[in-house]
Amino acid sequence: MPATPTLALVAHDAKKDAMVEFARRHQDKLAVFELVSTGTTGGRILEACPDLKVTRLKSGPLGGDQQIGAMIAEGKLQGLLFFVDPLSPMPHDVDVKALMRLAVVYDMPMALNPSTADILLRSARLQGLKTTSATPEVGSLSS
């Protein structure tokens, strides 16, 4: 695992506001990661949180989902926060499914909504620590 873990931030159009709000609330926690994001989502996050360093890839439908999928397959990502909109049809649905499939195949921590993302950010595994089912959350380590 790299010295600084890399986290991908992706959100469907109807969930971009939720991702921006999530980034605002967790700016201090996200700052310890290398962040990559699909184009539009990354731009919105940077507007709201200019102190975060976010590498913007292509927009999801233009290949950004596939770029993130390649990073998963190459072992370059340690986690994926992908706020999905299950109620709207996606013209690039095949790419979205492929991205989630890769996260599952490579056993990558993945959150599909803000509640799960809150939990994932406290994960010892995401921080690069060896974990077991008895490992406490990162926030509990110092208590």
Side-chain angles (χ1 to χ4, degrees):
M1 171 174 278
T4 303
T6 302
L7 187 61
L9 307 173
V10 182
H12 286 149
D13 288 345
K15 299 295 180 176
K16 290 193 191 315
D17 288 342
M19 179 61 81
V20 168
E21 180 53 33
F22 178 86
R24 236 187 233 123
R25 274 189 295 120
H26 296 290
Q27 192 166 344
D28 57 331
K29 291 177 187 153
L30 292 172
V32 303
F33 294 96
E34 295 288 333
L35 300 172
V36 297
S37 185
T38 48
T40 309
T41 302
R44 296 272 312 272
I45 291 168
L46 284 170
E47 285 174 16
C49 307
D51 292 336
L52 286 178
K53 293 179 183 167
V54 180
T55 300
R56 292 175 62 196
L57 305 174
K58 293 186 179 295
S59 172
L62 299 178
D65 295 333
Q66 292 177 344
Q67 286 178 293
I68 290 174
M71 293 177 77
I72 293 171
E74 294 169 354
K76 295 181 179 178
L77 282 181
Q78 285 65 54
L80 171 63
L81 305 183
F82 189 175
F83 291 4
V84 297
D85 174 13
L87 301 178
S88 298
M90 300 292 149
H92 65 295
D93 192 54
V94 174
D95 298 331
V96 170
K97 287 180 181 172
L99 179 57
M100 290 192 291
R101 183 172 42 254
L102 283 169
V104 172
V105 166
Y106 286 93
D107 194 25
M108 169 170 296
M110 172 176 58
L112 302 178
N113 60 47
S115 295
T116 309
D118 286 336
I119 294 166
L120 189 59
L121 275 186
R122 295 190 309 263
S123 161
R125 179 171 177 195
L126 194 59
Q127 300 295 328
L129 305 173
K130 188 168 177 71
T131 62
T132 68
S133 59
T135 304
E137 294 175 343
V138 171
S140 326
L141 292 176
S142 60
S143 326

